[in-house]
Amino acid sequence: QADTLADEMEVVLYDPRGRGRSEPVTENTPVGIDHAVADLEVVRRHLGLERISLIGWSYLGALVVLYAAAHPEAVDRIVQVGPLMPRRDPYWERWIADYSARAARFTRYGKDNALLPDDNRSGASKEAPRWAMISGIAPCE
């Protein structure tokens, strides 16, 4: 899918700390989701990107949400693919209600039969994104 996205925008794929082709984690390497959020900010700044769209799969779906919460000014859109589910108690019922409300907003279709979000989104650009950073995908050989 990164190749398909690259037809429309610039795509950056990176391996988070200790995964894929990144440096191995040693006993002195700081790890954890807070460090992963900080690392993503380092990548964005290193590339000189003002606003980015993020795609995160599984655990990294949680990472992109935490990054967006920490750096809302730097995030245009997020996409979660199979993100971590919240702990059943006490969060499950609230998560289902929130998810259902968000899903109900996606009811219109565009010219390519793509789902269109509600036009009343706040903070997100109405333009097509220029960048997508995909975390947690290692190149296949």
Side-chain angles (χ1 to χ4, degrees), residues 106-137:
F106 287 85
T107 57
R108 298 178 300 115
Y109 289 86
K111 65 180 180 173
D112 299 323
N113 289 326
L115 288 168
L116 297 176
D118 182 352
D119 287 333
N120 295 322
R121 296 179 302 148
S122 62
S125 169
K126 302 298 183 197
E127 303 174 6
R130 274 192 54 223
W131 289 90
M133 294 183 78
I134 304 176
S135 58
I137 299 177

Side-chain angles (χ1 to χ4, degrees), residues 29-119:
T29 304
V31 294
I33 199 156
D34 292 335
H35 294 289
V37 169
D39 289 347
L40 180 53
E41 176 62 1
V42 168
V43 171
R44 183 190 70 82
R45 287 181 178 209
H46 174 76
L47 295 172
L49 304 175
E50 187 175 326
R51 292 180 61 83
I52 55 177
S53 294
L54 297 163
I55 301 171
W57 176 65
S58 189
Y59 160 80
L60 297 162
L63 170 68
V64 299
V65 168
L66 292 173
Y67 179 85
H71 304 281
E73 73 289 346
V75 178
D76 192 38
R77 293 174 174 88
I78 60 172
V79 175
Q80 295 177 294
V81 181
L84 294 175
M85 300 296 287
R87 197 173 64 207
R88 186 163 193 85
D89 289 320
Y91 307 107
W92 186 253
E93 287 183 29
R94 179 66 192 171
W95 183 86
I96 288 295
D98 289 348
Y99 180 83
S100 297
R102 285 190 305 273
R105 290 179 24 210
F106 287 85
T107 57
R108 298 178 300 115
Y109 289 86
K111 65 180 180 173
D112 299 323
N113 289 326
L115 288 168
L116 297 176
D118 182 352
D119 287 333

